[in-house]
Amino acid sequence: MMSQQQISVAVIGAGMAGRSHAAGYRQANTVFGRGLPPIRLATIADANTTLAEDAADRYGFEKAVSSWEAVAEDASIDAVSIVVGNTLHRPIAEALVAGGKHVLCEKPLAGSMEDARAMVAVEKGADVVTAVGYTYRRNPAIAAIRDHVVNGELGDLSLFNGRYWCDYASDPRGPFGWRFKGDLGTGALGDIGAHIIDLGEYICGPIESVSGGALSVQVAKRPLPLGAVVGHDAAPVSDEMGEVENEDTAVFSARFRSGLTASFSVSRTAFGMPNGLGFDVYGLSGRASFDFHRPAEYQLDDAQPRSGTGGGRQVIVGPQMPYFRGGYPMQAPGVGGGNAEMFTYQARAFLDQITGAADPVPPNATFADALHTMEIIQAVVQSSQAGGASVPVS
Ligand SMILES: NC(=O)c1ccc[n+]([C@@H]2O[C@H](COP(=O)([O-])OP(=O)(O)OC[C@H]3O[C@@H](n4cnc5c(N)ncnc54)[C@H](O)[C@@H]3O)[C@@H](O)[C@H]2O)c1
């Protein structure tokens, strides 16, 4: 059990995102003051022991184990990140919560709506922290744009355009990994759409309906991998092919409760876009634009548009922005920052939630919040099956 002296953490999954969680825990006590007890970096679990051992060694965790069950059974561990394929989230979360452990689960919440609802039922009865890592909320530029919107600096909103364009599935020879299995909605929509949908609501408030859903598959069959696949990496493949079960690309429109209309597009076959998360938000007296390929800046236009000197200007993140003050070793504007810091702030928020810090980092999303994202995705799928009809979000 957690003592006042320390908090023991573990990461389940040492693939692409698991290492980011491990690095986040390692750094969490270096940011935002000294409010946490010491963090004991206890265990990394991965079925691929080479990966687990490498991550444990790199990030200073005490040991590597080959099964998530070993973490669930270890009474000395207080808090755990679940960073494996989505269909495993539910059984692991259920076992961890039953064992009294705090859980930070990766998005999307689960591999199916049934599993996601079961996880929310577990959350309702739990007396541990249950959280979901919507990492992009922790980007200082995105949080600053949200502040502009919430403070009314852009005026009444008129348009949101959100996109997450990636190219990790553009190559038809890319291996048939876990991302290509599962019902419609678990492809690009669940994998990357979950992030930009969450950001749309983080910035603009709740979505109440979607319409114009259209899903497509560009690469219908992929070669089966001959060994382990890590993240989006290439891997040796066989001549045997697996049938892609879910969408490569999806577009849809959304209406927010405020009346704001929005368009979203997501694709994992967008050639040349390694991690193209971006959005534009327009109001009657300003606009802001963000592109994760330039993670430490955003465009802001809040000048008098008809003065002749209007136009977007580049805003460089710095200590005046959320997360930056106290969150970067070098407290100077323009020193950059990106993905690794976001995972540190997310880990810190999770640990603050567990320890009840006096001046906490904004808390993570809950399982219920992440179920809501999946309900939006389901509505997009239903809209596509109904020829683009409008579908309310429950
Ligand atoms: N927040 C983000 O920015 C972000 C980025 C990437 C992925 N993710 C999410 O993180 C999760 C993992 O994605 P990834 O890209 O890291 O996947 P990955 O395939 O790179 O890694 C998953 C790891 O799980 C391991 N594994 C599989 N079965 C296991 C088992 N039974 N016990 C222990 N380990 C097992 C695999 O060996 C693999 O190393 C997904 O839910 C994904 O959506 C989030």
Side-chain angles (χ1 to χ4, degrees):
M1 294 299 293
M2 191 181 86
S3 71
Q4 301 233 307
Q5 282 71 44
Q6 69 175 11
I7 180 163
S8 299
V9 298
V11 177
I12 295 174
M16 182 168 69
R19 283 174 261 185
S20 298
H21 281 253
Y25 287 122
R26 187 178 169 83
Q27 293 298 327
N29 228 341
T30 68
V31 293
F32 310 127
R34 302 184 55 79
L36 289 177
I39 300 162
R40 172 179 162 243
L41 304 173
T43 307
I44 304 276
D46 198 297
N48 182 331
T49 48
T50 310
L51 281 183
E53 280 161 16
D54 178 67
D57 186 43
R58 238 172 238 272
Y59 299 108
F61 281 63
E62 286 172 14
K63 66 176 175 182
V65 297
S66 60
S67 80
W68 64 262
E69 288 89 345
V71 172
E73 287 159 12
D74 184 341
S76 79
I77 292 172
D78 306 303
V80 184
S81 281
I82 301 176
V83 204
V84 291
N86 308 328
T87 56
L88 280 169
H89 292 185
R90 175 185 174 182
I92 298 176
E94 285 178 341
L96 293 174
V97 172
K101 300 189 193 313
H102 306 282
V103 176
L104 172 60
C105 183
E106 264 302 343
K107 48 46 63 181
L109 180 60
S112 70
M113 293 304 288
E114 186 190 348
D115 282 3
R117 289 193 188 103
M119 289 172 74
V120 171
V122 165
E123 176 175 70
K124 282 187 180 141
D127 58 2
V128 290
V129 173
T130 45
V132 173
Y134 281 127
T135 328
Y136 287 97
R137 292 184 184 189
R138 311 286 175 187
N139 175 281
I142 292 176
I145 291 173
R146 180 186 194 238
D147 284 352
H148 291 307
V149 170
V150 170
N151 296 336
E153 293 160 37
L154 307 188
D156 288 344
L157 295 188
S158 54
L159 174 68
F160 180 86
N161 177 294
R163 53 202 169 273
Y164 202 159
W165 299 336
C166 293
D167 62 2
Y168 66 80
S170 294
D171 184 351
R173 291 160 304 172
F176 184 64
W178 61 262
R179 283 184 160 81
F180 301 96
K181 299 170 195 166
D183 293 339
L184 289 179
T186 64
L189 279 166
D191 195 36
I192 50 181
H195 280 300
I196 190 64
I197 292 169
D198 176 67
L199 285 186
E201 292 199 307
Y202 174 67
I203 293 165
C204 304
I207 289 173
E208 66 173 21
S209 66
V210 300
S211 60
L215 277 53
S216 61
V217 174
Q218 282 70 58
V219 181
K221 289 183 182 181
R222 295 183 170 276
L224 301 186
L226 289 170
V229 180
V230 180
H232 306 317
D233 292 355
V237 291
S238 86
D239 295 334
E240 237 184 296
M241 304 294 274
E243 201 130 345
V244 171
E245 296 169 4
N246 49 31
E247 70 286 351
D248 285 331
T249 297
V251 297
F252 64 99
S253 300
R255 178 175 288 276
F256 288 75
R257 193 180 295 160
S258 64
L260 173 72
T261 47
S263 61
F264 287 86
S265 55
V266 298
S267 181
R268 60 191 182 190
T269 50
F271 181 85
M273 299 297 282
N275 194 37
L277 177 144
F279 60 84
D280 308 287
V281 56
Y282 286 83
L284 296 183
S285 57
R287 70 145 177 116
S289 298
F290 176 82
D291 174 356
F292 195 73
H293 289 146
R294 304 179 76 93
E297 67 179 63
Y298 60 99
Q299 291 285 313
L300 181 68
D301 186 353
D302 56 359
Q304 294 70 43
R306 287 167 197 86
S307 67
T309 57
R313 65 182 192 280
Q314 180 193 36
V315 179
I316 307 279
V317 300
Q320 75 281 15
M321 311 237 163
Y323 294 107
F324 197 109
R325 182 168 296 285
Y328 281 65
M330 186 175 287
Q331 289 291 298
V335 297
N339 186 272
E341 286 86 2
M342 298 181 336
F343 279 91
T344 298
Y345 309 152
Q346 175 178 284
R348 177 61 188 244
F350 179 48
L351 298 172
D352 279 355
Q353 286 177 267
I354 293 168
T355 56
D359 186 16
V361 176
N364 287 288
T366 62
F367 284 5
D369 296 329
L371 170 62
H372 170 71
T373 314
M374 287 181 65
E375 285 168 345
I376 293 172
I377 288 171
Q378 273 309 108
V380 173
V381 172
Q382 285 164 14
S383 171
S384 76
Q385 290 166 339
S390 175
V391 177
V393 174
S394 51

